[in-house]
Amino acid sequence: MQLSEETRRRAVYVVAAAIMASIVAYAWRQPEVKLEPVVAQAADSSAGGSDGTPPEGKNTEANNTEADSAEAEAIKEKYQEYVVQEGDTVGAIAEAFGLSTESILYSNGLTEDEVLQIGQVLRIPAVDGLVYEVQEGDSLWAIAVDHGVTEDAVVQANPDVDPEAIQPGQIILVPGGKPPARRSVASRGSDASTRSTARSVSGTFPVWPAYGLVTDYFGWRIHPVYGTESFHDGLDISLPYGTPVQAVYSGFVTMASRNGGYGLTVRIDHGGGISTEYCHLSDFNVRVGDWVEAGQVIAWSGNSGVSTGPHLHFMVRVNGTPVNPVDWLP
């Protein structure tokens, strides 16, 4: 049987319509797929330009804001109090808290022969060492030296304390510290001898770390916030946030990190027992181990650590002892 031309065309239309309907039905049953745009990730630059330009999109101080909050919350109590119970001994208490017997004795001014009294309140340090109550005339450096530890160890164990203005009555945790046989505190006359020694060791630095208004000098002063007398171990230079900070002399970078209340800090070893420190920075332009020349940009000023506003705290040390930076600057 032969089909007419009209019939054949209709048959083709019907078949085509059926195929299209099947395709539409199949597509309708498929899950919807969303295409997300691909975003190129910019490479991170860890240091700024040699001309002192801060690295784009990177601010160590700002990026550490959350870290600062977490650090503050995570700081262990420097000590806890324990009330002596019947049958307690110093050795048993130390063992219960995972400390040495000496740490309990040192922190409470006890001797090995003393008998504990029921109800007596003891200070239990967070780590082996001792807790020390700041006295009039103390400096953080003097406390560290007196107890046989480094100032860095004390600064880092007490990030809540302003190392430039410790106050009488503050409690300082001294990790690994031991009580001095003879107590000595920083005095107004002590810095004169260290300045004399410092001048005999080295000449004048060729440049300042940054140029701005000096708001606080080295030595004893009445603290502008607390209103109490304290020892200031460096020079404060008021600077706009993000001002380039330069090395005052050539040397190796031995610190480029957060340093307790000093905030972001760069330390440079110039040899001969002489080092300089640049504190409260916002970002670094060097790493530990780098060799730098005088006038090279090493960082940018900021307000990190315990600070009352954007500025640079600049220190000079001779064999670890803070000396007057003014005697070293041109």
Side-chain angles (χ1 to χ4, degrees):
M1 182 179 65
Q2 292 184 347
L3 298 176
S4 66
E5 186 66 25
E6 181 67 22
T7 302
R8 283 198 299 272
R9 282 199 302 270
R10 288 180 179 180
V12 171
Y13 292 155
V14 169
V15 172
I19 292 173
M20 290 298 296
S22 298
I23 292 173
V24 171
Y26 178 79
W28 181 80
R29 290 194 298 268
Q30 300 310 302
E32 181 181 6
V33 178
K34 293 183 178 180
L35 299 178
E36 299 292 343
V38 177
V39 180
Q41 299 296 324
D44 177 38
S45 173
S46 60
S50 58
D51 60 351
T53 304
E56 293 184 5
K58 183 172 185 289
N59 183 309
T60 304
E61 181 181 347
N63 292 345
N64 277 281
T65 300
E66 293 184 3
D68 287 343
S69 299
E71 178 185 32
E73 293 177 2
I75 293 173
K76 294 178 66 175
E77 291 292 335
K78 298 176 185 180
Y79 72 95
Q80 57 182 300
E81 293 185 340
Y82 175 78
V83 179
V84 175
Q85 309 295 312
E86 184 176 359
D88 275 342
T89 64
V90 171
I93 294 171
E95 183 177 0
F97 285 95
L99 300 170
S100 67
T101 300
E102 289 76 11
S103 293
I104 305 297
L105 294 174
Y106 297 161
S107 296
N108 294 278
L110 302 173
T111 65
E112 295 181 354
D113 299 328
E114 284 191 60
V115 177
L116 297 178
Q117 304 298 316
I118 296 175
Q120 183 178 355
V121 179
L122 300 179
R123 286 177 174 172
I124 310 298
V127 296
D128 271 325
L130 55 85
V131 288
Y132 173 79
E133 185 171 334
V134 176
Q135 307 297 313
E136 188 73 33
D138 276 337
S139 69
L140 214 57
W141 171 80
I143 292 172
V145 170
D146 286 349
H147 294 91
V149 299
T150 65
E151 184 180 5
D152 282 349
V154 178
V155 169
Q156 292 165 14
N158 299 271
D160 58 317
V161 172
D162 182 353
E164 303 169 43
I166 60 173
Q167 303 299 306
Q170 283 183 313
I171 299 299
I172 302 296
L173 177 61
V174 186
K178 297 182 179 180
R182 182 178 61 188
R183 173 71 183 155
S184 62
V185 299
S187 67
R188 290 167 176 76
S190 63
D191 65 306
S193 60
T194 54
R195 284 201 305 271
S196 175
T197 301
R199 281 195 293 266
S200 68
V201 172
S202 175
T204 302
F205 295 139
V207 295
W208 278 61
Y211 295 93
L213 177 66
V214 175
T215 57
D216 220 338
Y217 289 87
F218 178 90
W220 292 95
R221 51 122 186 228
I222 299 299
H223 194 274
V225 175
Y226 304 115
T228 56
E229 189 177 42
S230 61
F231 188 81
H232 191 233
D233 57 6
L235 199 66
D236 285 350
I237 305 172
S238 179
L239 299 169
Y241 190 98
T243 300
V245 174
Q246 59 187 4
V248 297
Y249 200 72
S250 60
F252 282 105
V253 176
T254 58
M255 175 185 286
S257 62
R258 187 172 298 278
N259 189 29
Y262 286 119
L264 302 184
T265 299
V266 170
R267 178 182 296 153
I268 301 175
D269 182 358
H270 304 290
I274 303 166
S275 63
T276 53
E277 293 179 31
Y278 313 75
C279 310
H280 303 305
L281 305 169
S282 64
D283 209 345
F284 303 119
N285 198 39
V286 291
R287 297 181 177 87
V288 171
D290 285 353
W291 173 266
V292 297
E293 298 289 347
Q296 180 177 333
V297 174
I298 58 173
W300 293 273
S301 64
N303 192 33
S304 59
V306 181
S307 171
T308 56
H311 72 287
L312 174 68
H313 179 69
F314 174 66
M315 288 189 286
V316 180
R317 295 180 187 270
V318 176
N319 296 322
T321 302
V323 296
N324 193 344
V326 170
D327 293 333
W328 290 74
L329 294 171

